[in-house]
């Protein structure tokens, strides 16, 4: 994003505050905020990564005295030490303000009834949706995850108008509502979906089966939590609340800024966070900046829907393959389901990309034709030719968690 003189001032103030905490005091020896006069100087500062935050476990990230810390949250590390983020009263206030702005951007108001299914507890999901809804002044139904029967009963009896969920749980609820014939007894008009990567086909199914408008909400525990950005009614990328944060998009391999509009890794600096300020934090999320103003009129810049994580992208025969791009291209091919898997192997000195996809078709000739179509579309959109193989619906493994779709067997 653009760095104005005002942004630079705010970055200097944020850096000055961060350096008062032990974490950046140790990480940036000899650096003073007053030394940063230009964007290029700011971009010389080292990045902060998730492993650095892990190293500060349990409370090493705190940049304020303990009496000012009201709450901690912890990110859902699948392995190893968790990351703990301390919040001051102002941090929680700012988060609530940003989140209520998300609701308003999605057309949600005080008369709505907000059904919250993400989990409450150490992680930031459920509690973030709650905080924002309370700031907005809407009624919340703090369900948390699971017990689908109870979810549907409450949704019907309390006439919930807004669903907050992960994409996979929204799909599960949509399918149950369809199966039980509840569609006419459900009052949902909107759904706010957490920012895991999800394809167009899944989006279309959820929207159609629930009969709702969908909004993508962005966030990560390290930077407040969900609610630091959201898509608007124009559904063209997510507006980022740049009065609270500064972002960059970098080449994840070299660490240098990408050209405008090019895909890269999102890096965030917090501008007014007190408890655990972060400077140039590598989110690992891949996206690009969208040019120009949004027709909705919001004065905040937009990033594109996430296309994956920088740890997921792979290089095959010199071409970068992003899972999000594969989702996108398969969504454009008729008779191909949203489920696929890529296996990359190295045989006889050559890289081979095998693409398995599910299809409802069974006729042998039709399957051959479909495989050729998928190969051509892949070549056109990604730039290399895979070996495409059709499999029956339901044959590829499913998981409750975000499923891994690319398997690199070369190393
Ligand atoms: Zn907009």
């Amino acid at each position: 994003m653009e760095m104005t003189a005002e942004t630079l001032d705010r970055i200097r103030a944020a850096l000055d505050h961060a350096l008062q905490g032990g974490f950046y005091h140790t990480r940036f020896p000899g650096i003073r905020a007053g030394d940063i006069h230009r964007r290029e100087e700011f971009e010389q500062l080292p990045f902060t990564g998730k492993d650095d935050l892990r190293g500060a476990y349990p409370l090493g990230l705190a940049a304020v005295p303990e009496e000012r810390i009201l709450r901690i949250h912890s990110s859902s590390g699948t392995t190893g030490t968790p990351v703990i983020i301390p919040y001051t009263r102002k941090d929680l206030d700012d988060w609530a303000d940003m989140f209520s702005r998300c609701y308003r951007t999605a057309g949600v108001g005080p008369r709505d009834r907000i059904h919250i299914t993400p989990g409450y507890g150490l992680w930031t999901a459920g509690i973030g949706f709650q905080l924002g809804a309370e700031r907005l002044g809407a009624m919340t139904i703090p369900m948390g995850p699971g017990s689908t029967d109870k979810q549907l009963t409450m949704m019907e009896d309390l006439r919930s108008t807004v669903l907050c969920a992960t994409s996979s749980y929204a799909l599960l609820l949509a399918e149950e509502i369809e199966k039980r014939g509840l569609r006419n007894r459900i009052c949902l008009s909107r759904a706010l979906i957490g920012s895991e990567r999800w394809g167009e086909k899944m989006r279309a199914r959820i929207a159609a089966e629930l009969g709702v408008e969908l909004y993508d909400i962005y966030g990560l525990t390290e930077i407040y939590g969900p609610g630091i950005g959201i898509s608007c009614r124009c559904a063209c990328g997510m507006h980022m609340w740049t009065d609270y944060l500064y972002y960059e998009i970098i080449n994840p391999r070299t660490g240098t800024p990408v050209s405008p509009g090019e895909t890269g890794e999102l890096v965030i600096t917090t501008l007014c966070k007190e408890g655990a300020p972060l400077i140039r934090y590598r989110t690992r999320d891949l996206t690009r900046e969208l040019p120009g103003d949004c027709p909705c009129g919001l004065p905040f810049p937009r990033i594109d829907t996430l296309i994956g994580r920088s740890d997921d992208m792979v290089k095959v025969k010199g071409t970068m393959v992003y899972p999000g791009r594969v989702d996108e291209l398969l969504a454009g091919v008729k008779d191909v389901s949203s489920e696929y898997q890529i296996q990359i192997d190295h045989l006889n000195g050559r890289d081979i990309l095998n693409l398995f996809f599910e299809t409802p078709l069974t006729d042998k000739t039709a399957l051959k034709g479909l495989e050729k179509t998928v190969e051509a579309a892949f070549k056109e959109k990604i730039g290399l030719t895979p070996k495409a193989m059709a499999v029956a619906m339901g044959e590829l493994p499913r998981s409750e968690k975000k499923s891994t779709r690319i398997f690199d067997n070369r190393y």
Side-chain angles (χ1 to χ4, degrees):
M1 62 179 268
E2 199 191 347
M3 190 189 275
T4 59
E6 191 209 336
T7 312
L8 192 57
D9 278 347
R10 297 195 63 197
I11 285 176
R12 259 197 302 269
L15 181 59
D16 191 48
H17 169 65
L19 287 168
Q20 287 166 34
F23 181 71
Y24 280 106
H25 186 77
T26 320
R27 269 185 78 67
F28 291 172
I31 292 178
R32 286 175 316 165
D35 297 339
I36 309 290
H37 305 288
R38 298 199 322 273
R39 179 188 195 129
E40 295 72 31
E41 286 165 348
F42 172 69
E43 287 169 358
Q44 297 293 312
L45 293 174
F47 294 112
T48 302
K50 192 152 183 169
D51 284 338
D52 302 319
L53 306 192
R54 280 202 187 95
Y57 181 86
L59 285 171
L61 285 175
V64 295
E66 174 155 358
E67 58 269 26
R68 293 190 54 207
I69 296 173
L70 264 64
R71 194 200 285 174
I72 61 111
H73 281 292
S74 173
S75 72
S76 53
T78 41
T79 51
T81 317
V83 168
I84 291 192
I85 305 288
Y87 294 68
T88 65
R89 185 177 303 281
K90 175 178 160 47
D91 295 338
L92 295 172
D93 258 355
D94 287 349
W95 185 20
D97 284 340
M98 279 189 275
F99 214 130
S100 66
R101 191 192 282 167
C102 286
Y103 280 121
R104 285 196 302 273
T105 303
V108 179
R111 293 182 60 86
D112 275 296
R113 297 180 175 186
I114 305 181
H115 192 101
I116 302 172
T117 69
Y120 287 72
L122 271 178
W123 66 319
T124 46
I127 225 162
F129 281 99
Q130 181 78 29
L131 200 64
E134 287 176 0
R135 180 61 50 96
L136 180 73
M139 183 173 106
T140 59
I141 305 151
M143 298 298 301
S147 19
T148 303
D149 286 336
K150 197 169 174 188
Q151 299 273 6
L152 295 175
T153 308
M154 295 291 262
M155 198 178 278
E156 188 182 335
D157 295 347
L158 285 161
R159 306 175 69 82
S160 312
T161 59
V162 178
L163 172 68
C164 304
T166 61
S167 57
S168 40
Y169 198 55
L171 182 62
L172 188 149
L173 287 174
E175 286 173 344
E176 281 303 310
I177 288 168
E178 180 77 15
K179 209 181 335 172
R180 301 179 192 197
L182 295 175
R183 177 72 190 278
N184 293 330
R185 283 147 62 183
I186 295 292
C187 305
L188 294 177
S189 66
R190 293 177 163 76
L192 272 59
I193 306 293
S195 64
E196 47 181 331
R197 182 177 58 78
W198 51 312
E200 265 317 305
K201 284 202 170 169
M202 190 167 180
R203 187 182 302 262
R205 273 179 71 192
I206 297 172
E209 288 182 17
L210 287 178
V212 296
E213 281 173 24
L214 293 177
Y215 294 86
D216 276 326
I217 189 156
Y218 182 63
L220 57 164
T221 299
E222 294 81 3
I223 315 280
Y224 298 97
I228 63 171
I230 192 169
S231 62
C232 65
R233 61 182 158 80
C234 303
C236 49
M238 299 182 281
H239 289 278
M240 295 286 281
W241 307 140
T242 47
D243 40 353
Y244 293 89
L245 51 92
Y246 173 78
Y247 69 82
E248 306 162 71
I249 296 180
I250 62 154
N251 177 323
R253 292 187 186 253
T254 62
T256 52
V258 298
S259 321
E262 202 183 307
T263 297
E265 182 180 332
L266 183 69
V267 170
I268 296 179
T269 295
T270 58
L271 293 178
C272 48
K273 208 157 183 274
E274 295 180 335
L278 290 179
I279 307 294
R280 307 195 81 204
Y281 181 68
R282 292 188 63 157
T283 65
R284 301 279 164 197
D285 288 323
L286 295 171
T287 184
R288 64 195 178 104
E289 184 157 38
L290 295 175
D293 295 330
C294 183
C296 80
L298 272 179
F300 294 98
R302 289 164 301 148
I303 57 169
D304 205 353
T305 311
L306 308 184
I307 61 162
R309 311 259 309 150
S310 57
D311 346 30
D312 295 342
M313 67 177 195
V314 287
K315 201 170 186 177
V316 184
K317 295 182 197 166
T319 303
M320 299 306 295
V321 180
Y322 302 106
R325 290 270 182 267
V326 182
D327 289 354
E328 221 172 76
L329 87 91
L330 291 180
V333 184
K334 194 169 167 279
D335 294 323
V336 174
S337 101
S338 55
E339 295 303 315
Y340 71 90
Q341 195 182 88
I342 285 175
Q343 296 275 353
I344 303 163
D345 294 292
H346 192 75
L347 278 178
N348 307 324
R350 287 177 57 222
D351 287 341
I352 299 172
L353 190 149
N354 293 307
L355 169 67
F356 299 88
F357 62 92
E358 292 187 355
T359 172
L361 300 185
T362 49
D363 176 74
K364 279 224 164 65
T365 320
L367 288 176
K368 278 275 161 273
L370 188 57
E371 287 170 349
K372 290 283 162 250
T373 308
V374 167
E375 286 173 1
F378 201 96
K379 169 76 182 155
E380 189 198 328
K381 297 269 167 53
I382 313 272
L384 77 141
T385 308
K387 169 131 188 58
M389 279 165 279
V391 301
M393 296 295 282
E395 200 164 297
L396 294 174
R398 304 284 200 276
S399 82
E400 293 283 306
K401 295 286 220 170
K402 292 178 229 181
S403 35
T404 307
R405 300 187 187 276
I406 298 190
F407 296 87
D408 195 345
N409 311 317
R410 289 174 297 183
Y411 311 107

